[in-house]
Amino acid sequence: MARTSRIQGLRDLPVEARRKAAAEAAALDPARIAAFDPTRGLDESAADHMIENVVGILGVPLGVATNFVVNGAEMLVPMATEEASVVAAASNAAKIARVHGGFTTSSTAPVMQAQVQIVGVNDPEAGRVRLLEARDELIELANAQDEKLVEFGGGVRDVAVRLVHSRVGTYVVAHLQVDVRDAMGANAVNTMAEAVAARAGEIAGGRPLLRILTNKADLRLSRARAVFDADTLGGPAVVDDIVHAAALAEADPYRAATHNKGIMNGISAVVLATGNDTRAVEAGAHSHAVSDSGRYTSLSRFEKDADGNVVGTLELPMPVGLVGGATRVHPVAQAAVALLGVRTAAQLAEIITAVGLAQNFAAVRALATEGIQRGHMSLHARNIATTVGATAAEVPAVVARLVADRKVRADHAEKILAELRGKSRS
Ligand SMILES: CC(C)(COP(=O)([O-])OP(=O)([O-])OC[C@H]1O[C@@H](n2cnc3c(N)ncnc32)[C@H](O)[C@@H]1OP(=O)([O-])[O-])[C@@H](O)C(=O)NCCC(=O)NCCSC(=O)C[C@@](C)(O)CC(=O)[O-]
Ligand SMILES: NC(=O)C1=CN([C@@H]2O[C@H](COP(=O)(O)OP(=O)(O)OC[C@H]3O[C@@H](n4cnc5c(N)ncnc54)[C@H](OP(=O)(O)O)[C@@H]3O)[C@@H](O)[C@H]2O)C=CC1
């Protein structure tokens, strides 16, 4: 069967049937995603080897976003999040993007950078140039730390040197620019930085201090682009308002922070589902949101294209891997990667970026039209109903009343529940 990301009625199926439908739609043997079943996910002894002082395992809901087409390929996207409406919103935007073929993505080579800080250099300008003269020697020394990475086609691509003027002096900071192939790359570049630090200090004429990767991974960028059809959105006035909404985010840091949070709703959910480092991706994203003039701005852009549609673009650092970290040891992360069917870290990075753009578009569309409450709160209402003690059988009736009364609040849910229980007793 051909892979598809359109699954009719997925939301109405019980969870076990959804897993089956997802495997079928992804043309996968269901055994490949068996770990999605919480009884077959991460066990305590594996968890005990992942971090320290383990006392338990936190469950986070894992959903699957539908409707994605990325570079012409149908794609079901695993998303781990505690927030209602995120998975629905991503699926909704992906459905609108399908009208014009879905998402087109691209990326730079997977180059991470490690910094070596050198202190106490008397002639920092000359120290910088001495290090650049020693480029080949430093590259050779660094590459010798990871012959396998070089065999895979990775390794150090270049050395850059910056002078950083701080409150307590000028530092010579050498950057190793390393192609880390399918790894997130932290361990490889940190090992290289530690290995070259002493020699770099000698050459620069100072003392090496910090030796660590930078999470401002601006040489490892991933991009996504999609066209959102004007007629599907409700016409030219809606398009103009979406462009206004995005323009405010570009110009105003207060709005940009929320706009970017909407992007990260999608990105962090896929990063977490695939066992990648959410903090590394978040740090990279926010560092990239600072413009050349030093102002915090939005990561995405929405414009009106020549045909009057909205064209959305997103570009940001995406340091994710397939071969290391928790991706290698967490059975649910492995199942998530299998569901996506990706073979390289670059493919994974690009899909995550497409999800970020979809998520952002869904929120901005809602905000520029009916507001966030109707769609988001009607899904959040299920949490509220459960919080006040509604049973699985009672939840649908409580949710329907909360939404109809436009009062998605715990006090109102308690009132509705009491009324329902009163009726069923009488
Ligand atoms: C919530 C929707 C999608 C409803 O939207 P709707 O138009 O009422 O939904 P629909 O029933 O017509 O369905 C349209 C599609 O949405 C999906 N969908 C719809 N409902 C479900 C569901 N229950 N379960 C699974 N999928 C669902 C589904 O894909 C469906 O198509 P289908 O594939 O079925 O043909 C819409 O209102 C929306 O996109 N809202 C945005 C919600 C959002 O952004 N939530 C994030 C949390 S809010 C936040 O944290 C960020 C924010 C907002 O502050 C960021 C910012 O300010 O920029
Ligand atoms: N500031 C930060 O962001 C920091 C993050 N971290 C953590 O680092 C972890 C990720 O580190 P990472 O270095 O990716 O993970 P690992 O070191 O676990 O895995 C990467 C290794 O996998 C091997 N490998 C096998 N196949 C490939 C391939 N096709 N391409 C590239 N490498 C391959 C290589 O080792 P070999 O050459 O030996 O085969 C490579 O060094 C995350 O858990 C993150 O949380 C750690 C420190 C700081």
Side-chain angles (χ1 to χ4, degrees):
M1 186 192 141
R3 279 167 65 96
T4 177
S5 60
R6 292 280 304 144
I7 311 179
Q8 296 300 330
L10 186 67
R11 69 175 91 164
D12 302 320
L13 297 176
V15 177
E16 174 60 41
R18 281 198 203 120
R19 281 197 279 271
K20 200 162 163 271
E24 236 168 60
L28 263 188
D29 178 348
R32 300 282 305 281
I33 59 166
F36 287 169
D37 177 340
T39 63
R40 302 172 70 178
L42 187 68
D43 65 37
E44 208 160 272
S45 88
D48 196 29
H49 291 113
M50 286 176 73
I51 64 161
E52 308 74 39
N53 296 349
V54 166
V55 291
I57 295 168
L58 171 74
V60 175
L62 180 78
V64 71
T66 54
N67 301 327
F68 274 85
V69 174
V70 181
N71 298 329
E74 297 273 335
M75 192 80 53
L76 283 173
V77 185
M79 299 179 77
T81 179
E82 84 302 342
E83 188 171 7
S85 88
V86 164
V87 177
S91 308
N92 190 25
K95 185 179 178 188
I96 300 170
R98 285 177 82 91
V99 176
H100 288 281
F103 297 83
T104 304
T105 64
S106 59
S107 47
T108 63
V111 173
M112 296 294 287
Q113 299 192 73
Q115 297 188 290
V116 179
Q117 176 195 20
I118 302 165
V119 302
V121 179
N122 288 323
D123 51 353
E125 296 285 353
R128 183 182 81 87
V129 174
R130 282 193 294 274
L131 281 167
L132 291 172
E133 288 162 8
R135 172 186 179 274
D136 294 350
E137 179 192 345
L138 292 171
I139 292 179
E140 199 179 324
L141 188 56
N143 278 342
Q145 308 308 311
D146 203 335
E147 284 168 3
K148 272 222 193 121
L149 182 63
V150 176
E151 268 171 40
F152 290 137
V156 183
R157 294 290 182 252
D158 212 345
V159 174
V161 188
R162 299 164 54 242
L163 295 187
V164 178
H165 307 288
S166 81
R167 198 165 42 77
V168 285
T170 294
Y171 302 119
V172 177
V173 181
H175 285 215
L176 290 178
Q177 301 177 345
V178 188
D179 184 324
V180 296
R181 296 284 88 201
D182 294 316
M184 182 270 189
N187 295 324
V189 302
N190 289 344
T191 307
M192 288 176 174
E194 292 197 355
V196 304
R199 182 67 188 128
E202 236 170 67
I203 296 167
R207 179 170 62 89
L209 190 57
L210 302 190
R211 297 136 291 159
I212 187 77
L213 90 162
T214 169
N215 285 107
K216 183 172 166 56
D218 55 3
L219 296 181
R220 194 179 190 176
L221 297 178
S222 184
R223 311 171 198 100
R225 178 175 59 82
V227 174
F228 300 95
D229 185 64
D231 291 339
T232 311
L233 292 172
V238 175
V239 171
D240 289 342
D241 283 348
I242 289 172
V243 172
H244 280 308
L248 178 64
E250 199 178 326
D252 174 19
Y254 284 91
R255 175 58 204 149
T258 324
H259 181 97
N260 290 343
K261 187 273 185 187
I263 293 173
M264 300 316 286
N265 274 344
I267 287 181
S268 297
V270 190
V271 171
L272 184 61
T274 56
N276 275 287
D277 184 335
T278 50
R279 290 83 56 214
V281 173
E282 283 155 9
H286 292 294
S287 69
H288 202 67
V290 178
S291 68
D292 291 343
S293 63
R295 191 169 43 82
Y296 184 84
T297 183
S298 51
L299 287 160
S300 64
R301 295 289 180 267
F302 291 109
E303 305 163 289
K304 182 153 70 168
D305 73 7
D307 301 319
N309 301 312
V310 177
V311 56
T313 49
L314 174 63
E315 179 179 65
L316 78 171
M318 194 51 68
V320 291
L322 277 184
V323 293
T327 310
R328 192 173 46 190
V329 293
H330 198 304
V332 182
Q334 287 174 349
V337 169
L339 185 70
L340 283 168
V342 288
R343 303 237 175 280
T344 65
Q347 281 177 317
L348 175 61
E350 291 179 19
I351 291 167
I352 293 172
T353 309
V355 176
L357 179 60
Q359 199 71 54
N360 182 211
F361 179 78
V364 172
R365 185 212 60 83
L367 292 170
T369 55
E370 60 178 354
I372 200 70
Q373 293 300 72
R374 199 269 312 161
H376 173 67
M377 288 310 271
S378 58
L379 293 171
H380 183 58
R382 295 183 300 182
N383 288 339
I384 304 273
T386 311
T387 310
V388 300
T391 62
E394 290 165 333
V395 166
V398 176
V399 167
R401 273 283 306 282
L402 285 172
V403 173
D405 296 352
R406 292 176 163 265
K407 284 186 199 163
V408 184
R409 293 194 321 252
D411 61 332
H412 195 52
E414 274 171 2
K415 207 172 121 214
I416 296 167
L417 191 60
E419 276 174 28
L420 276 177
R421 288 179 180 171
K423 268 191 204 148
S424 65
R425 269 198 299 273
S426 58

